[in-house]
């Protein structure tokens, strides 16, 4: 323990480091958590700017402002940046900040590994973004980078893309090893696994998912590298390879990956809903088992992304039924959140508003997911805007809203200052209205047959697309307000009190109440644990 605490202080004998070197060499979990969060916020605006280019091009039919080639680069890099540069680093930032505090540890178990896992990320995205300025241009083959498009017909910069993905994967693996080690070895005395806060549980399970699937992604991009530079034919049919093999490998990584992006969200939302309902989460242990079930099932459903490749009917049936099975533990979680709110003393501060929106809109995304799981129906939906609508409902009002909820919830803890509640609610309503304006109409154009990833479209889709683009620009604008709120909070927000959410933590416990350990955002006192 003492070694960990000492490593938080600067190793040099000249007092604490100043300026940039403090951040470069820091081993403090709070500093590293903050760097992850700021990094993901910067990437949100870069990836968001790319989405704005896409929506500006699609504002009306015909070719507007960018070439089809540049449009494809925007689609590819928007997806990669939002998944690997925004959602995942933000959740790792939350993990770094909150896990040690929630389990009563002085820091993360491996502080220097923690530092390294962050600092290689800006390098990875620097490499990815630098491809825009190279001969041949940035990757243009979609964020799923299907071979042979990404091997036979890709720009020469694909090699930099592969290197970049390797570095991102290494960062994830190191972060996960650190999280698992911390949770298993550094819990306060008396804090058994089933007394851990749900956010800690959600990350514990997510970290195992990351360690399991990141090497699979590394394998896929390494095989691409071999096909491009070393004459192998993993994915080249002419040489005896199989392009569908790429899809199997990619989605064996890609499907657990989408759960990696939502499980920590479940943890965050569970904390917020119980706080603003003034009662402990309903069905704590079933929540833990539900998260674990979702994680396990995520490994056996990958080919539901591939119903149209021509698999045997037995395969289609297996992937169809196993996908629908995931709806059960997810339904348990939604039921538990609603039951927690039922008859609670609810108040609707900004974090709670985002959390309630999360539950409602994530459910819409889940229901369209069940539609996509129906194999014969998927033949109609596949590669249309319906799919885009589905996964954006899960990832924007899902993952992103939970991050915004968590940021508002813990900003007073992180900064010591209170954010502006009026501005926070304004941000929520702008985001809520615009996110639905953006993604709901996509269901309609998708069902009507509008293909995704195409910069032009036929006249009958024009009205809906105009609405979607207006919604997208409004949503982008709303996030600038969020940036303003955070900076205002950090610089001159009013001082946060010990009881930030009035009365939320201080609800009365009777003798018969279950132990309330998992309801607190900070570690329980030794007295509580002994009791």
């Amino acid at each position: 323990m003492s070694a960990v605490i000492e490593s938080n202080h600067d190793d040099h004998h000249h007092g604490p480091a100043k300026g940039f070197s403090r951040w470069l060499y820091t081993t403090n979990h709070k500093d590293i958590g903050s760097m992850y969060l700021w990094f993901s916020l910067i990437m949100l605006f870069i990836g968001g700017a790319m989405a704005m280019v896409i929506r500006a091009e699609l504002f009306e039919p015909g070719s507007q402002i960018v070439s089809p080639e540049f449009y494809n680069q925007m689609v590819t890099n928007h997806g990669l940046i939002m998944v690997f540069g925004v959602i995942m680093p933000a959740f790792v930032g939350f993990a770094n900040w909150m896990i040690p505090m929630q389990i009563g540890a002085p820091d993360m178990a491996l502080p220097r590994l923690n530092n390294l896992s962050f600092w290689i990320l800006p390098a990875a995205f620097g490499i990815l973004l630098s491809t825009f300025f190279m001969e041949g241009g940035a990757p243009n083959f979609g964020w799923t980078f299907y071979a042979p498009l990404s091997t036979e017909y890709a720009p020469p910069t694909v090699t930099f893309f592969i290197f970049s993905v390797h570095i991102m994967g290494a960062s994830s693996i190191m972060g996960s090893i650190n999280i698992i080690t911390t949770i298993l070895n550094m819990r306060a005395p008396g804090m058994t696994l089933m007394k851990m806060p749900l956010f800690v549980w959600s990350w514990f399970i997510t970290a195992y998912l990351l360690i399991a699937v990141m090497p699979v992604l590394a394998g896929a991009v390494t095989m691409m590298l071999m096909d491009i530079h070393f004459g192998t034919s993993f994915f080249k049919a002419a040489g005896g390879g199989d392009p569908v093999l790429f899809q199997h490998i990619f989605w064996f990584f890609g499907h657990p990956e989408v759960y990696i992006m939502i499980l920590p969200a479940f943890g965050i939302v569970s904390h917020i809903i119980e706080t603003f309902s003034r009662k402990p989460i309903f069905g704590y242990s079933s929540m833990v088992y539900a998260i674990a079930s979702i994680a396990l099932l995520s490994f056996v459903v990958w080919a539901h992304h591939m119903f149209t490749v021509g698999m045997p009917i037995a395969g289609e049936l297996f992937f169809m039924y196993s996908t629908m099975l995931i709806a059960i533990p997810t339904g348990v979680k939604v039921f538990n959140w609603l039951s927690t709110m039922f008859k609670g003393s609810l108040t609707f501060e900004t974090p709670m508003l985002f959390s309630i929106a999360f539950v409602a809109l994530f459910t819409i995304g889940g229901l369209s997911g069940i539609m996509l799981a129906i194999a014969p129906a998927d033949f109609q939906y596949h590669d249309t805007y319906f799919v885009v609508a589905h996964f954006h409902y899960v990832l924007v009002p899902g993952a992103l809203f939970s991050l915004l909820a968590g940021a508002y919830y813990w900003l007073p803890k992180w900064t010591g200052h209170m954010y502006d509640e009026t501005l926070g609610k304004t941000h929520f309503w702008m985001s809520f209205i615009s996110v639905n304006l953006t993604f709901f109409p996509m269901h309609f154009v998708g069902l009507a047959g509008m293909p995704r990833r195409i910069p032009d479209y036929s006249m009958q889709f024009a009205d809906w697309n105009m609405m979607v683009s207006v919604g997208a620009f409004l949503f982008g604008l709303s996030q600038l307000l969020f940036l303003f709120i955070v900076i205002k909070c950090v610089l001159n927000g009013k001082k946060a009190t010990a009881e930030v959410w009035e009365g939320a933590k201080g609800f009365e416990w009777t003798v018969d109440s279950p132990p309330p350990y998992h309801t607190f955002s900070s570690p329980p006192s030794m007295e509580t644990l002994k009791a």
Side-chain angles (χ1 to χ4, degrees):
M1 285 285 195
S2 60
V4 177
I5 295 164
E6 279 162 25
S7 71
N8 279 349
H9 301 293
D10 201 85
D11 289 341
H12 306 295
H13 299 295
H14 311 299
K18 292 281 184 287
F20 181 63
S21 61
R22 166 185 157 190
W23 297 99
L24 189 61
Y25 299 121
T26 183
T27 49
N28 181 314
H29 71 101
K30 297 177 182 179
D31 285 354
I32 294 169
S34 299
M35 291 196 297
Y36 267 111
L37 290 165
W38 279 111
F39 172 77
S40 71
L41 195 56
I42 292 164
M43 297 311 290
L44 177 71
F45 288 109
I46 295 173
M50 293 176 178
M52 297 301 103
V53 173
I54 294 167
R55 284 320 315 175
E57 177 57 52
L58 293 173
F59 186 73
E60 54 187 28
S63 196
Q64 259 47 256
I65 51 170
V66 295
S67 66
E69 171 65 22
F70 189 71
Y71 179 88
N72 288 345
Q73 294 176 353
M74 289 290 103
V75 169
T76 302
N77 288 278
H78 164 72
L80 288 166
I81 285 169
M82 289 307 196
V83 170
F84 297 106
V86 179
I87 303 296
M88 291 174 66
F91 280 134
V92 178
F94 274 80
N96 265 300
W97 252 105
M98 300 313 301
I99 288 175
M101 296 207 269
Q102 290 189 331
I103 63 173
D107 202 302
M108 297 295 277
L110 308 162
R112 284 195 274 226
L113 191 74
N114 208 7
N115 175 288
L116 180 63
S117 75
F118 170 75
W119 277 110
I120 61 177
L121 273 185
F125 284 93
I127 292 165
L128 184 64
L129 290 169
S130 69
T131 56
F132 278 99
F133 307 103
M134 296 179 191
E135 197 178 346
N140 59 354
F141 33 65
W143 83 270
T144 50
F145 46 96
Y146 279 9
L149 185 60
S150 59
T151 52
E152 303 286 293
Y153 309 103
T157 52
V158 65
T159 310
F160 289 92
F161 156 79
I162 289 170
F163 184 43
S164 167
V165 169
H166 266 304
I167 300 173
M168 296 171 204
S171 167
S172 288
I173 290 171
M174 291 192 292
S176 301
I177 289 171
N178 203 355
I179 286 167
I180 291 169
T181 311
T182 305
I183 294 171
L184 287 179
N185 294 323
M186 298 182 69
R187 299 192 306 281
M191 181 166 286
T192 60
L193 288 176
M194 290 310 277
K195 285 175 185 169
M196 294 196 309
L198 283 172
F199 178 65
V200 179
W201 257 117
S202 66
W203 246 114
F204 186 51
I205 292 165
T206 302
Y208 278 109
L209 282 185
L210 275 165
I211 289 175
V213 300
M214 278 300 166
V216 179
L217 176 66
V221 293
T222 305
M223 289 155 89
M224 280 171 62
L225 191 74
M226 296 288 179
D227 276 14
I228 294 165
H229 293 295
F230 300 106
T232 57
S233 295
F234 288 113
F235 309 129
K236 194 192 301 185
D242 183 4
V244 178
L245 172 66
F246 178 87
Q247 295 192 29
H248 277 292
I249 297 169
F250 178 83
W251 286 115
F252 191 76
F253 146 79
H255 198 79
E257 164 65 28
V258 298
Y259 287 94
I260 286 162
M261 291 190 284
I262 205 67
L263 293 183
F266 292 166
I268 292 171
V269 166
S270 299
H271 284 294
I272 294 172
I273 287 177
E274 65 180 358
T275 296
F276 295 102
S277 302
R278 270 84 180 167
K279 51 192 271 213
I281 196 85
F282 179 89
Y284 170 84
S285 55
S286 66
M287 290 297 248
V288 173
Y289 297 131
I291 297 172
S293 316
I294 291 168
L296 287 170
L297 285 168
S298 74
F299 282 102
V300 294
V301 296
W302 77 91
H304 68 207
H305 297 266
M306 305 164 49
F307 280 140
T308 55
V309 301
M311 62 175 102
I313 196 85
E316 285 187 3
L317 285 171
F318 172 81
F319 287 108
M320 178 166 99
Y321 292 138
S322 57
T323 302
M324 290 179 176
L325 205 57
I326 290 192
I328 297 170
T330 312
V332 167
K333 299 188 74 61
V334 173
F335 177 81
N336 285 1
W337 289 322
L338 295 177
S339 303
T340 305
M341 289 191 272
F342 183 64
K343 292 195 169 176
S345 319
L346 273 70
T347 51
F348 300 99
E349 285 86 349
T350 311
M352 186 62 162
L353 290 174
F354 272 107
S355 298
I356 293 170
F358 167 91
V359 176
L361 301 182
F362 177 77
T363 303
I364 293 176
L367 294 172
S368 60
I370 294 176
M371 291 171 68
L372 288 163
I374 302 165
D378 185 75
F379 275 76
Q380 316 303 116
Y381 307 142
H382 190 83
D383 260 338
T384 70
Y385 260 80
F386 189 84
V387 181
V388 181
H390 156 68
F391 72 74
H392 279 89
Y393 257 89
V394 178
L395 288 177
V396 183
L400 186 63
F401 269 27
S402 76
L403 286 165
L404 294 170
Y408 281 114
Y409 185 54
W410 281 314
L411 261 174
K413 191 168 196 65
W414 295 342
T415 63
H417 298 159
M418 194 60 189
Y419 65 88
D420 185 320
E421 187 66 62
T422 312
L423 285 179
K425 285 183 171 154
T426 308
H427 172 227
F428 166 74
W429 285 111
M430 283 173 66
S431 298
F432 180 78
I433 292 163
S434 56
V435 86
N436 286 295
L437 194 61
T438 306
F439 299 115
F440 206 78
M442 287 185 182
H443 293 100
F444 310 147
V445 292
L447 291 176
M450 180 174 163
R452 57 191 279 207
R453 295 182 174 173
I454 310 283
D456 190 11
Y457 53 88
S458 117
M459 263 323 276
Q460 72 261 31
F461 305 127
D463 292 353
W464 287 125
N465 270 292
M466 192 173 281
M467 185 188 289
V468 168
S469 289
V470 169
F473 277 96
L474 186 60
F475 187 75
L477 201 64
S478 314
Q479 306 327 305
L480 287 169
L481 175 61
F482 175 66
L483 180 65
F484 173 75
I485 292 168
V486 172
I487 292 170
K488 180 172 183 281
C489 171
V490 172
L491 295 181
N492 59 2
K494 67 176 197 292
K495 210 162 153 39
T497 58
E499 283 283 328
V500 185
W501 313 111
E502 293 300 321
K505 301 284 173 50
F507 42 81
E508 287 300 310
W509 290 94
T510 63
V511 182
D512 309 323
S513 301
Y517 312 131
H518 53 260
T519 59
F520 293 101
S521 304
S522 34
S525 65
M526 293 312 291
E527 289 70 43
T528 315
L529 287 166
K530 280 178 189 135

